[in-house]
Amino acid sequence: MTQPPESITRMLKSQGQEHLLDFYASLDEQQQESLVQQLEMINFQQMQKLIGQEHHEDSTSTDSIQPPVIYPTLPEDHQRYRDIGVEMIRAGKVAPFTVAGGQGTRLGWNGPKGAFPATVLTGKPLFRVFAEQILAIESRYDVSLTWYIMTSPINDDDTRAFFTDNNHFGLDPQQVVFFQQGVLPSIDGDGRMLLAQKDHVAVNPDGHGGSLLALAVSGSLEHMRARGIEQISYFQVDNPLVHVLDPLFIGLHVAAKDSSGQISSKMIPKRDPGEKVGVLCMVDGKTRVIEYSDIDPGIAAETDENGRLRLRAGSIGIHMMSVEFVEHLTRNPDDFALPFHMAHKKVPYIDLDSGELVQPEQPNATKFEAFVFDAIPLADSSIVYETVRVEEFAPIKNASGEDSPESSHQLQSDRAGLWLEAAGCTVQRDGDGHVTSRIEIKASTAIEAGDLRDVELPESISDGEEVLL
Ligand code: UTP
């Protein structure tokens, strides 16, 4: 083949993207085919709309941003909601869902983020951490779970191979359902798509919000329906402290008076006004997340009558959502309900004059991504559940500093210390309240604090000790 298909040439011309074929004649047949296949997959009409959209500025008047109602409101209701959640789990109506399609650029790890060694002493990879929790939940509630994992073209092969090489961490391979999210081309300042290679358009995964679309397009929603799964427990791959299924949260989501059962969110109080997490809030009677960069620093720093941040509900990427709601949002895959946001990033590209690969030092391109939390205001109503940072949020995002393996290890040991203390063990802490030993608790030993009541524990744990339970 020496000429590209006429239909492709016409489409590219009409869209001002014909430069994507600049190197076509120099490619071998296989490369030509691969480029044509990729071009056929791109939804140029959708891209035209995205390229034409104005940069999304948040138009919310800051006066109208109110804190959300925080659940659970009454501690005496906990047991009732927990029981409802346990019933849902036992009946096989809830599935864990991990979004693992991201590029993980900040961490700089060569491989899927889920393969990153995350735990304090044994360095278990994130995927194993979740798999072992799933196994523990299955045996506790006498149920077989299906675990849905979203990958992207960047890491799909490697992720599947990692599971195969690790014997699916003891799960039956049938229980683990992988599917890929979509990708969107990156564009330069003139709205022209970039070539990552002479035979490959530069694309990026379409954001964690793309997971909702991918659940539909991949057939996973139908797969869930066929298994009687009604609710999805959504979490991100980079948080080793997440409770993959949380009975209390599930119970609140399906049964709390103000919950539509469509989508609910977990929050933790922000550490300080500048912490880089989105904020769950109410705007015009609807719950939604406002990104930290969209909130005026003065408003972010406002305090209430108790001296706490007024807008303190930090969003941690943990949601419950119903299969029905995701079906509703994705009914027309060509007109996805969530907006795409633009982000300016460094994207390596082939220079059209020299044919050489350029590694830009400054952001040179726009990527389009959907955010899962944009689904929240589309629900009839949506509740926010407050949890404790050390109990469930220790993300690994950066190679060092904040949200790094080091900070995550500290939080993991801190949580283990808390659980041990609740069971009567004395644990040394420093002046800032951090545990001064390194403690790792296996999911087969405990998946929540109360489980340690029946475990033989040391009386005390001293400075610098390493304890694996
Ligand atoms: P982040 O926003 O932290 O992005 O993703 P990232 O790709 O992991 O890391 P950076 O920003 O490149 O350093 C939060 C979660 O959403 C998933 C990630 O895998 C992670 O679990 N995600 C993100 C996707 O699944 N797909 C995407 O397109 C983006």
Side-chain angles (χ1 to χ4, degrees):
M1 197 205 302
T2 49
Q3 290 299 317
E6 177 64 27
S7 55
I8 291 282
T9 322
R10 218 175 320 115
M11 169 65 87
L12 292 179
K13 266 213 177 103
S14 72
Q15 302 287 324
Q17 306 288 355
E18 61 269 37
H19 60 283
L20 297 176
L21 293 173
D22 274 10
F23 300 102
Y24 188 82
S26 68
L27 302 176
D28 66 30
E29 206 169 315
Q30 215 180 346
Q31 291 170 318
Q32 290 182 336
E33 261 175 41
S34 132
L35 178 59
V36 167
Q37 265 175 16
Q38 194 196 12
L39 292 171
E40 281 170 349
M41 297 288 289
I42 294 174
N43 182 338
F44 283 96
Q45 268 83 28
Q46 177 198 28
M47 283 308 297
Q48 194 180 28
K49 272 197 226 153
L50 293 180
I51 294 168
Q53 82 186 3
E54 291 297 308
H55 188 45
H56 173 82
E57 289 295 339
D58 202 287
S59 56
T60 313
S61 129
T62 38
D63 298 343
S64 61
I65 306 176
Q66 297 299 324
V69 174
I70 302 293
Y71 280 82
T73 40
L74 300 169
E76 56 271 31
D77 286 344
H78 286 201
Q79 193 55 46
R80 187 165 69 84
Y81 286 119
R82 223 188 116 90
D83 292 346
I84 294 172
V86 165
E87 260 328 293
M88 291 285 294
I89 297 172
R90 275 193 203 286
K93 291 184 177 169
V94 194
F97 173 35
T98 311
V99 287
Q103 291 171 298
T105 11
R106 286 170 286 171
L107 186 59
W109 164 251
N110 188 15
K113 229 188 203 184
F116 188 80
T119 63
V120 177
L121 296 176
T122 60
K124 279 181 193 163
L126 288 150
F127 283 132
R128 182 179 285 283
V129 172
F130 308 138
E132 291 186 355
Q133 260 195 70
I134 289 171
L135 287 164
I137 293 167
E138 289 191 319
S139 91
R140 174 161 311 177
Y141 298 119
D142 190 21
V143 62
S144 172
L145 298 170
T146 309
W147 182 13
Y148 295 84
I149 300 177
M150 184 182 77
T151 63
S152 65
I154 301 167
N155 60 23
D156 187 71
D157 288 347
D158 289 346
T159 304
R160 288 172 197 256
F162 190 65
F163 272 74
T164 306
D165 293 349
N166 285 282
N167 204 14
H168 287 70
F169 310 105
L171 291 161
D172 181 337
Q174 299 283 339
Q175 291 178 262
V176 187
V177 177
F178 298 99
F179 60 94
Q180 291 191 46
Q181 69 179 111
V183 291
L184 289 170
S186 310
I187 56 165
D188 69 11
D190 299 321
R192 285 158 36 114
M193 295 177 197
L194 296 166
L195 283 171
Q197 294 156 30
K198 289 179 182 171
D199 64 345
H200 195 80
V201 181
V203 291
N204 63 275
D206 60 0
H208 40 62
S211 64
L212 306 186
L213 197 53
L215 276 167
V217 174
S218 66
S220 299
L221 293 177
E222 280 163 29
H223 191 271
M224 289 174 176
R225 283 283 187 204
R227 276 159 188 71
I229 294 164
E230 295 173 5
Q231 294 288 345
I232 302 168
S233 175
Y234 169 104
F235 57 94
Q236 305 184 337
V237 75
D238 48 20
N239 179 14
L241 286 188
V242 73
H243 293 272
V244 302
L245 296 184
D246 175 346
L248 175 54
F249 185 39
I250 296 167
L252 280 165
H253 168 71
V254 299
K257 189 165 69 60
D258 298 322
S259 172
S260 60
Q262 292 174 318
I263 183 163
S264 302
S265 312
K266 277 194 182 174
M267 79 82 154
I268 52 170
K270 276 176 68 173
R271 210 168 10 215
D272 54 69
E275 185 177 359
K276 291 183 177 165
V277 287
V279 172
L280 282 148
C281 49
M282 298 292 287
V283 178
D284 299 332
K286 287 279 189 189
T287 311
R288 57 174 289 189
V289 169
I290 302 189
E291 284 190 87
Y292 59 87
S293 49
D294 286 336
I295 297 192
D296 177 272
I299 309 267
E302 280 174 10
T303 50
D304 64 14
E305 62 284 2
N306 300 314
R308 297 179 303 183
L309 289 177
R310 194 173 71 88
L311 301 174
R312 64 180 171 285
S315 171
I316 51 175
I318 303 177
H319 304 280
M320 285 299 306
M321 53 183 84
S322 71
V323 171
E324 194 178 354
F325 183 53
V326 182
E327 283 170 347
H328 166 71
L329 296 178
T330 55
R331 196 138 286 150
N332 179 0
D334 283 333
D335 189 18
F336 183 35
L338 304 195
F340 284 94
H341 300 255
M342 302 195 219
H344 295 289
K345 296 278 166 85
K346 288 188 272 186
V347 174
Y349 65 98
I350 300 286
D351 181 83
L352 295 180
D353 295 327
S354 67
E356 298 294 320
L357 183 70
V358 182
Q359 297 283 353
E361 299 198 340
Q362 298 298 328
N364 61 315
T366 300
K367 290 183 180 182
F368 297 97
E369 290 190 334
F371 299 153
V372 72
F373 51 70
D374 280 329
I376 299 172
L378 304 179
D380 298 333
S381 65
S382 185
I383 62 163
V384 177
Y385 165 60
E386 176 165 350
T387 182
V388 178
R389 181 184 300 266
V390 68
E391 185 60 42
E392 29 194 336
F393 191 56
I396 299 177
K397 301 237 178 241
N398 303 307
S400 58
E402 217 169 87
D403 296 341
S404 64
E406 198 186 339
S407 66
S408 178
H409 285 180
Q410 182 64 59
L411 282 161
Q412 290 177 54
S413 287
D414 286 348
R415 179 174 85 172
L418 208 63
W419 289 10
L420 281 156
E421 285 162 343
C425 173
T426 306
V427 181
Q428 291 301 315
R429 289 177 181 269
D430 65 16
D432 295 325
H434 290 301
V435 163
T436 54
S437 46
R438 285 152 45 82
I439 320 173
E440 181 172 328
I441 301 177
K442 290 181 275 190
S444 55
T445 307
I447 51 172
E448 54 186 49
D451 299 341
L452 288 184
R453 275 194 299 264
D454 309 322
V455 178
E456 203 177 315
L457 300 173
E459 264 177 35
S460 65
I461 297 178
S462 46
D463 278 355
E465 223 182 304
E466 292 192 348
V467 180
L468 179 65
L469 286 167

